[in-house]
Every structure is written in C-alpha cells, then in structure tokens.
Amino acid sequence: MVNIAVMGHGVVGSGVVEVILSHKEGVLRHAHEELNIKYVLDLKEFPDSPVADRFTKNFEDIIRDDSVQIVVEVMGGLNPAFDFVKRCLTAGKSVVTSNKELVAAKGAELLAVAKEHNANFMFEASVGGGIPIIRPIYQCLAANNVLEIAGILNGTTNFILTKMIDDHMSFQDALALAQKLGYAERNPSADVDGHDACRKICILAALAFGKHVYPEQVHTEGISNLTLADVAYANAWGGEIKLIGNVKMMDNGQIQIIVCPMLVPNSNLMANIDDVFNGIMVRGDATDEVLFYGKGAGKLPTASAVVADVIDCMKHVDARKYLFWEDNTDPDYVQNYLDNPVAMYVRVRVSDVEAERIRGLFGSINWLACDEAEEGELAFVTPKMAEREIRSKLAQLEEQGAEVKTTVRIADFS
Amino acid sequence: MVNIAVMGHGVVGSGVVEVILSHKEGVLRHAHEELNIKYVLDLKEFPDSPVADRFTKNFEDIIRDDSVQIVVEVMGGLNPAFDFVKRCLTAGKSVVTSNKELVAAKGAELLAVAKEHNANFMFEASVGGGIPIIRPIYQCLAANNVLEIAGILNGTTNFILTKMIDDHMSFQDALALAQKLGYAERNPSADVDGHDACRKICILAALAFGKHVYPEQVHTEGISNLTLADVAYANAWGGEIKLIGNVKMMDNGQIQIIVCPMLVPNSNLMANIDDVFNGIMVRGDATDEVLFYGKGAGKLPTASAVVADVIDCMKHVDARKYLFWEDNTDPDYVQNYLDNPVAMYVRVRVSDVEAERIRGLFGSINWLACDEAEEGELAFVTPKMAEREIRSKLAQLEEQGAEVKTTVRIADFS
C-alpha cells in the first residue's frame, strides 16, 4: 500500500479524491498496489467528505510522516506551494502537481531538487488538463527532435473567441457569459491577458528543448482588444482568430516564443477547435505534426491527469524517471520577438492616409473587405518580414495621422 | 551500452536504423545509456547501409547472443514473426514491434509469455504510426475508465475518401492515385476492405478493456462500394463519409465493436481529418473525449514510435512494465453487430416502391436530396433502432422490387 497526501481541497483537489475513490480497481490494475489517501491538507473543513477523517490543517503532519511517499500539490499559486513542494522533494517524497504557475516559475529548480533527493516531480495536469501531453512529448517523442509546438492552451479565451465568431457577441458580452458559466474568474486577467497560456507554453518549451523558459521572457498579448470587425475580417481572409502559444527552435539554438492572438486559416485543424477545448500541435523531425485535443480544464479531467501521475510515481518509487530540464541563464536564449519574421493583419483608421501610401510602405498587400467594415477604416495583411520592420512602418503611418486599431499575427505553423 | 537487434530491413526497419543513428544524443539523454545496433536480420543484402557489417540472415545469431537485450520486429506478417518474437520473449529479451497483424492475432499470448519471462512486449507503432496512442491510453488514462474509442485508423482509405469528397474522383480513380503515390499496395484489400483498421481497433479495444478481441470477432466493411452519389448525399446531410473503427463498453460488460464507413457530421472534428492523416478519439469517464491526430503511417513517423518503445525498454530492463491484457475465450464478449442500435443512411433504387411505403416501414424518415441524384433512386436516414430491424425492413423493400444500393451507419460518437 502506498500512502499519499493531497495538499488543497478545491476544485482539482476534491476531484483527485473523487477519482481515486471511484477508480480503486483501475489504480490497482495499473499500479499493482493499493493507494491510500492518508492526509488532505486544507484550512477549511469538509465534514461531508468521504475522507473527512484524513484532513489536517498542518503541513508538518505530512512532512514528518515517513510513510507518505507521494504528495499531491493542488493548492495553486506560488506561496506556500513552492515552499511545501521543495520541502517534500528534499525529504525524498515524490510530488505531483497541477500548478502551472509553480512549474513555469520554479520548474528547473524543483526538478534539480527532485533529482538530488532521488524523488519524482511530475506535472501532467499543468498543461492541457486531461489531455495527455507532457508524457507523450517526453516519452513517445523521445526519438524525435521537436522543432515546434503551437497550441490553443486556454479554454476560457477559446470559448470567448468562439462566441465572438459564431454568435457575434462582443468581447465584453462573451466574457460576461464565460464568467456566468464558471469558465472565467471574477478577475479574468490571467486568462484574457494570455498569462495562463504563457505559463503553459513555457512548460512545453522547457520540456521539448531541455531548458527553462521564464514567463517574463515571453512576449504575451491577450484578446481583450479584439473586436467583431476583426473577427469579420478574419472570416473574409479565410480563417479564425485564436489565442496561440507558439515556440520554435531555430538553427542557431535560440528559440522564438510568443503568446498572442493569431489568424489561423480554416484549412488548419486548429481553426476548428472551438469552445473550451484545447489543441496542442507538436512537430517533430521524424513524426511531423501530431495534435492532441480535448478539454483543457475541468475538475475530473484535470484530476484524472493528476492521478495518472500518482500511479506513475507508484511504479517508480525506486527508479526515478528521467524527466528533467536545465535552468536557463542565457539572456539570449529567447530571440527578441521583434526579430521574428511574421506576416501581420492590420486594421487601421486612415483619416487622410491613402491606400496607395500603405501599399508603397509594405509592397504587396492583401486587402481585406467585409460587410462590417467601418467608414474610414482599412484592413490588410502585410507580407512576411521582421516584426520590427512592420512596427516601424506602422509608426510612420501613425505619424501621418492614421490610427492602428488592431494587429494580429498570421499563424505560420502547419 | 544496450545491444539490440532489428529483424527486418524494409521501409520501417531501415527507418529504425536511420532514426537511431540520427538521434544518438536524444536517445542518450532520455535513456542515459548508449544504444548499439548489434544485428540487422534480413535475407537481402544492403551493402550501402551504415550498419552493413551488422547484417545476418540467421535468426539463431540473435537468439543465441545473450548480450542482445532488446529485439525490434519490423518484418510484418505472422510467419515467421510470431515464432521469432515468442522465442525472443521466452529467452527473456524484450521485443518492440510495429506489426499490427501480429499483435491483433497473438497479443494476449505474447503478453503472457513476456510476463512469464519478465520481459517487455511493446507495440506503440502498431496503431497510429507516429501518433502516441498506446502509451497515453495505458498510462495517462490509467485513472479513467475508457468508455469508447473511435478512430480513423487507416490513412490509405482516408486519402481515397478525401479525393472522392474534395475532388469528385471515383473510388477506382482515387485508389489508382493512391497506388501511384505509394499510399496503397498493388493488392489494396487489407486497406480498402477494412482489415488493417480492424486489427488496429482490436488492439485498442484490448488495451482499453483488458481483454483480447480477435479480428474475426469484428464485423468489418470496407469502402469499395461507395459512390460519388453517396458522397454527395452525405454532403447534403451535413457530413462526410469516413472509415471508422469504433468500440464501446456496455453496462453489461459486453462490447460493441465494428469497422465500417460512417457518416460523420461536419461539426465533429473527425470529419475534418483529411488525406493520409489518422485521428483517434478516446472517451474516458473522467477526461471526456480526447483526440490524437497525426500521420498514421510512413517510414520515419513509424520508426520514431518504435525507437521510443526501445528507449522505454532500456529504462525498464529490470522493472517490467505492467502493460497486459487477458485472452478472450467468451464468445459473447462481443455483441452481435445486428443488435447494435444504429441510425442508417440508405440509398435505394425504388422502381415501383413508393416513398410513402418507406415512411410506413421506418416511421420518421429524414429524406436527402442532392444534384447528383439518379432518376429512380431515393436516399434517406432511418431513425435509430437495432440494425437487425433495419435489415429486416430493407429486406421487405427488396421483396417488393426495390434494390438497396448502399447503407452507411451514422456515427454516434461525440
């Protein structure tokens, strides 16, 4: 029998307890051992829980108990999660977490501590909820060099964009609906400003390329300034706007990494991923692209990913898994996003600036037209060039009195 | 250093050699050991191979060499592959195969031999080529009860259907093109008659539900009698025809399993999976549906899946992995497909039979119309009922002089 502790009894934590209790047979069949929840750590009380007698408010109960081999951290946030997890690993206990903020900020450090103390640190649930993605990248693609990852990594923003596209709701109305349905928090910034997606692409990039990427290193844009006009122009172009996390390895060993809305052509499967679903495309040199799709959040999907990690830890109590990446101390590892080559959708209020002037600046331009076009506005797609160049040309337009309303990068993953 | 032997130097076998040689660093990083190809077994000679000095025509060289810990079987077919693999496992060597025919016919027996001799038997490449699917189902979904699997499991037929749908090519012309491009064999029966897809859904069903399913137990229909009229009616209905392998667990412990063309609504991501791509949907009680997508065949994708298994074997030389399923001796484990509830698309040459008569037989009918309709033909979708009932009603129609041209089941996976 293996004893575990579950730290945190919120949505995911209560789901973990539920999945373990309702899948006893499957756990036994896979792990060949029984799994016992010895502690649940939470400051609140849950007298109706089937494990009500296991609750503690004191972390020391867990760290001091040598019979606890695996600790599940589903509290969220950096504090005290980081301190607790580090102490567990230092004590040789394996840790499973769904906490993307923790992994994105402290992954390299915690993996090193785990290695030093011969423990496992696992986090399948931190990206893509119930979609298997961490383990497939690490194991199944072990015989591949990953070249690129692109993903719809945040279900809340994908739901909002789907409502804007399919039901012509404004961003504000779609956000309000998402909040009403429980998909978005009262303070929606982590989702709509792209920070959640950023943490996830950082984790995937670290895993794929073996070096930590900190969220602060990633240029991140959200979706809050997109309008129904942009959605209509995207449709006229032949695609949909999606919030994408994208990382590419370059020949010189630097990576391009960005989180931002992108125009995805309808022919790409990613444009067909709607509502709260996530989709993650991994391109390897041998496999070519492989795509993983499913619900990227939710109590039971996320909890089942946590429990799958727990089972894997049970099978590797003695033999540590080799999941690992280095810290990243090279400020040049991430290429400045302004140097990334990109084609850009631009919507601009022209006032006195003439279309001919825009064409003169950018060369060949793909003009877009739609019924929702506002008087005095133009929309177009630039040729591909360094983003810095595009920004400089747009600045010139603004000097002449134009007002750039929206810019959206064109997806160039396959 | 771990020594391996590669049995078979065809498309996949030469790919395995290529991937191992070109990914030395990745293998080392993941397995923490070097991988050495000690033997390649093939009756032909390959003097230009970078491992030309490792070739042997004699299997006994491999079985007698105790330093060979892992054997890759990529010969294909049942004989002599089955005998060779069984002898390797009996000798305690782990075996990795891409041979779906072998796993579908002999999986339970070989897994039992592997267990008895403390060896691993792995076959990620047998389904979905380079798409990680075996390991995710087994590991990541360990905390789920799988309820259903549905997949586009054969790239050749999906390519043919895509050409029929998008380019209005006839089945024969599309098949000829697939053969010209190397996607289809000279004798295309294994693909177009559904046998290849059948083997794959058998393997997935065994893995998901823990009990072997033999291909002979699965009602299997191919795509060769589909016409452009069917494609046009499907379009009028709002979907596409796809060759689907589908298995569902029922409450009574029996499974429904079938391989056949199905009408998939456009709103389902599966309808958007085109050309030679595969897509496999796994529905678990906790994760809900998760979909895996990518190239389901090809030299390097398949080879990379084989090598990923080899790496996993290297990491589990002593600790056997718990991948296992039982043999199936219960003739009632698979429900007779005629008892499956299903809605059916039917195209019928009516002669003297009137539409009113059809409606009388089936109750509410969804009539389909399209420009390609032939004079004297009707097409409709029946309500959902046991397939046996539908067949009986269609037999009554034929008794009255109608001729049933095509029947295609309506997909009812989500």
Side-chain angles (χ1 to χ4, degrees):
Chain A
M1 191 174 72
V2 173
N3 288 314
I4 70 164
V6 179
M7 304 198 297
H9 196 264
V11 173
V12 179
S14 59
V16 167
V17 171
E18 184 180 332
V19 168
I20 289 174
L21 295 182
S22 61
H23 290 77
K24 272 186 179 296
E25 203 182 301
V27 171
L28 186 63
R29 181 155 55 97
H30 281 83
H32 286 212
E33 272 202 276
E34 262 187 71
L35 179 57
N36 177 49
I37 301 172
K38 189 159 182 186
Y39 301 99
V40 180
L41 178 70
D42 206 294
L43 294 179
K44 279 184 268 180
E45 287 174 22
F46 297 87
D48 297 333
S49 164
V51 290
D53 56 326
R54 328 286 170 85
F55 274 73
T56 174
K57 298 186 169 87
N58 187 359
F59 171 72
E60 303 303 324
D61 288 345
I62 295 167
I63 195 79
R64 275 196 306 245
D65 187 335
D66 288 341
S67 79
V68 173
Q69 292 177 288
I70 302 167
V71 177
V72 172
E73 186 279 301
V74 283
M75 315 165 74
L78 280 182
N79 294 303
F82 172 62
D83 181 47
F84 286 2
V85 168
K86 194 169 171 181
R87 287 182 63 197
C88 287
L89 292 170
T90 304
K93 300 179 195 300
S94 287
V95 173
V96 172
T97 184
S98 63
N99 187 337
K100 51 207 169 262
E101 191 178 350
L102 178 69
V103 181
K106 302 288 185 181
E109 180 175 348
L110 291 172
L111 284 166
V113 174
K115 190 178 182 183
E116 190 187 344
H117 297 277
N118 202 35
N120 285 303
F121 178 56
M122 301 182 77
F123 40 85
E124 177 64 64
S126 67
V127 182
I131 309 170
I133 182 71
I134 301 288
R135 199 176 275 100
I137 289 184
Y138 194 74
Q139 289 196 325
C140 307
L141 304 180
N144 270 273
N145 293 321
V146 175
L147 305 173
E148 175 171 18
I149 299 175
I152 294 172
L153 299 165
N154 179 274
T156 307
T157 44
N158 205 47
F159 175 83
I160 292 171
L161 289 171
T162 302
K163 287 292 157 194
M164 291 174 72
I165 293 163
D166 290 356
D167 300 344
H168 308 285
M169 293 176 74
S170 71
F171 168 78
Q172 285 304 338
D173 289 348
L175 171 59
L177 178 61
Q179 287 172 317
K180 194 175 147 196
L181 294 172
Y183 297 152
E185 311 267 339
R186 191 105 56 95
N187 176 354
S189 170
D191 290 320
V192 301
D193 295 335
H195 303 308
D196 176 79
C198 176
R199 288 167 188 150
K200 292 169 179 169
I201 196 70
C202 285
I203 295 171
L204 296 177
L207 191 71
F209 304 124
K211 215 180 265 192
H212 199 98
V213 181
Y214 290 93
E216 306 78 56
Q217 296 178 289
V218 179
H219 180 73
T220 300
E221 297 176 14
I223 64 165
S224 56
N225 71 339
L226 297 174
T227 69
L228 289 178
D230 298 316
V231 166
Y233 279 120
N235 185 43
W237 175 79
E240 293 196 1
I241 301 178
K242 295 287 183 188
L243 181 67
I244 302 285
N246 190 196
V247 61
K248 294 176 204 183
M249 175 54 73
M250 304 197 300
D251 289 340
N252 67 359
Q254 283 185 297
I255 60 169
Q256 291 177 22
I257 184 166
I258 196 164
V259 173
C260 61
M262 289 191 190
L263 252 170
V264 181
N266 287 326
S267 57
N268 191 306
L269 212 56
M270 206 82 88
N272 299 298
I273 293 175
D274 291 331
D275 297 318
V276 293
F277 285 87
N278 284 196
I280 301 160
M281 184 279 292
V282 180
R283 191 154 56 83
D285 62 348
T287 52
D288 214 331
E289 71 253 44
V290 175
L291 187 129
F292 304 82
Y293 164 90
K295 285 201 176 137
K299 176 176 175 170
L300 292 184
T302 307
S304 79
V306 169
V307 177
D309 271 355
V310 170
I311 292 172
D312 214 7
C313 282
M314 290 169 75
K315 296 198 280 192
H316 292 86
V317 165
D318 299 316
R320 215 182 65 79
K321 303 209 41 147
Y322 296 123
L323 179 61
F324 192 72
W325 64 68
E326 291 173 5
D327 201 359
N328 162 15
T329 50
D330 177 1
D332 292 333
Y333 177 53
V334 175
Q335 172 168 286
N336 186 322
Y337 78 99
L338 290 171
D339 294 326
N340 297 352
V342 68
M344 189 85 79
Y345 153 86
V346 180
R347 181 165 60 88
V348 64
R349 173 162 291 280
V350 280
S351 76
D352 289 340
V353 181
E354 284 177 18
E356 207 40 56
R357 171 80 188 123
I358 298 176
R359 190 195 310 277
L361 265 175
F362 284 98
S364 73
I365 281 273
N366 177 12
W367 297 105
L368 300 177
C370 72
D371 291 344
E372 287 80 353
E374 275 193 39
E375 184 72 27
E377 280 190 6
L378 288 175
F380 58 91
V381 174
T382 73
K384 199 169 186 174
M385 61 187 82
E387 177 155 346
R388 191 183 303 283
E389 265 187 83
I390 294 177
R391 297 289 168 202
S392 148
K393 290 179 199 299
L394 293 178
Q396 289 179 49
L397 281 184
E398 293 209 310
E399 275 166 24
Q400 292 162 35
E403 183 193 355
V404 175
K405 308 287 280 186
T406 322
T407 57
V408 180
R409 296 167 188 81
I410 310 295
D412 76 339
F413 52 82
S414 54
Chain B
M1 193 174 71
V2 173
N3 289 314
I4 71 164
V6 179
M7 305 197 297
H9 196 263
V11 173
V12 178
S14 61
V16 167
V17 171
E18 184 180 332
V19 167
I20 289 174
L21 297 180
S22 61
H23 290 76
K24 271 186 181 297
E25 203 182 302
V27 172
L28 187 63
R29 180 155 55 95
H30 281 83
H32 286 211
E33 273 203 274
E34 263 187 72
L35 178 58
N36 177 49
I37 301 172
K38 190 159 181 185
Y39 301 100
V40 179
L41 178 71
D42 206 294
L43 294 179
K44 280 184 267 181
E45 286 174 21
F46 297 87
D48 297 334
S49 163
V51 290
D53 57 327
R54 327 284 170 87
F55 274 74
T56 175
K57 298 185 171 82
N58 187 359
F59 171 71
E60 303 302 325
D61 289 345
I62 295 168
I63 195 77
R64 277 196 306 247
D65 188 335
D66 288 341
S67 79
V68 173
Q69 292 177 287
I70 302 167
V71 177
V72 172
E73 186 278 302
V74 282
M75 316 166 73
L78 278 183
N79 294 305
F82 172 61
D83 182 48
F84 287 1
V85 167
K86 194 170 171 181
R87 287 183 62 196
C88 288
L89 292 170
T90 303
K93 300 178 195 300
S94 288
V95 173
V96 173
T97 185
S98 63
N99 187 338
K100 50 205 167 265
E101 192 177 351
L102 178 68
V103 181
K106 302 287 186 182
E109 180 175 350
L110 292 171
L111 284 166
V113 174
K115 190 178 183 184
E116 189 187 346
H117 296 277
N118 203 34
N120 285 302
F121 179 55
M122 300 181 78
F123 40 84
E124 177 64 65
S126 67
V127 182
I131 309 171
I133 181 70
I134 301 288
R135 199 175 275 102
I137 288 184
Y138 195 73
Q139 290 196 324
C140 307
L141 304 181
N144 269 273
N145 293 321
V146 175
L147 304 173
E148 175 171 19
I149 299 176
I152 294 171
L153 298 165
N154 179 274
T156 307
T157 44
N158 206 47
F159 174 83
I160 292 171
L161 289 171
T162 303
K163 286 293 156 194
M164 291 174 71
I165 294 163
D166 290 356
D167 301 344
H168 307 287
M169 292 175 74
S170 71
F171 169 78
Q172 285 304 339
D173 289 349
L175 171 59
L177 178 61
Q179 287 172 318
K180 194 175 149 196
L181 294 172
Y183 297 153
E185 312 267 337
R186 192 110 51 99
N187 176 354
S189 169
D191 290 323
V192 301
D193 295 334
H195 303 308
D196 176 80
C198 177
R199 288 166 188 151
K200 292 169 179 167
I201 196 70
C202 285
I203 296 171
L204 296 177
L207 191 70
F209 303 122
K211 215 180 266 193
H212 199 98
V213 181
Y214 290 93
E216 305 78 55
Q217 297 178 288
V218 180
H219 180 72
T220 300
E221 296 176 14
I223 64 165
S224 56
N225 71 339
L226 297 175
T227 69
L228 289 178
D230 298 316
V231 166
Y233 279 119
N235 185 42
W237 176 78
E240 292 196 1
I241 299 177
K242 296 288 183 188
L243 181 66
I244 302 287
N246 190 194
V247 61
K248 295 176 204 181
M249 175 54 73
M250 303 197 301
D251 289 340
N252 68 358
Q254 282 186 299
I255 61 169
Q256 289 176 23
I257 184 166
I258 197 165
V259 174
C260 61
M262 289 191 190
L263 253 169
V264 182
N266 287 325
S267 58
N268 191 306
L269 211 57
M270 206 81 90
N272 300 297
I273 293 176
D274 291 331
D275 296 319
V276 294
F277 285 86
N278 283 196
I280 301 160
M281 184 280 291
V282 181
R283 192 154 56 83
D285 62 347
T287 53
D288 214 332
E289 72 253 44
V290 174
L291 186 130
F292 304 82
Y293 164 91
K295 285 198 176 140
K299 177 176 174 168
L300 292 184
T302 307
S304 79
V306 169
V307 178
D309 271 355
V310 170
I311 293 172
D312 214 7
C313 282
M314 292 169 74
K315 296 198 281 190
H316 292 86
V317 165
D318 300 316
R320 214 181 67 77
K321 303 211 38 150
Y322 296 121
L323 179 61
F324 192 71
W325 65 68
E326 291 173 6
D327 199 359
N328 163 17
T329 49
D330 176 2
D332 292 333
Y333 177 53
V334 175
Q335 172 168 285
N336 186 320
Y337 78 98
L338 290 171
D339 293 326
N340 297 351
V342 69
M344 189 85 79
Y345 154 87
V346 180
R347 181 164 60 89
V348 64
R349 173 162 291 281
V350 280
S351 77
D352 289 340
V353 180
E354 282 176 21
E356 207 41 54
R357 171 82 188 125
I358 298 176
R359 191 196 309 275
L361 265 176
F362 284 98
S364 72
I365 281 274
N366 178 12
W367 296 104
L368 300 178
C370 73
D371 291 345
E372 287 80 352
E374 275 193 41
E375 185 70 28
E377 279 189 6
L378 288 175
F380 58 92
V381 174
T382 74
K384 198 170 186 175
M385 60 188 84
E387 178 156 345
R388 190 183 304 281
E389 264 187 82
I390 295 178
R391 296 290 168 201
S392 147
K393 291 177 197 300
L394 293 179
Q396 290 179 49
L397 281 185
E398 293 208 310
E399 276 167 24
Q400 293 162 34
E403 184 192 356
V404 175
K405 308 287 281 186
T406 322
T407 56
V408 180
R409 296 167 188 81
I410 310 295
D412 75 339
F413 51 82
S414 54

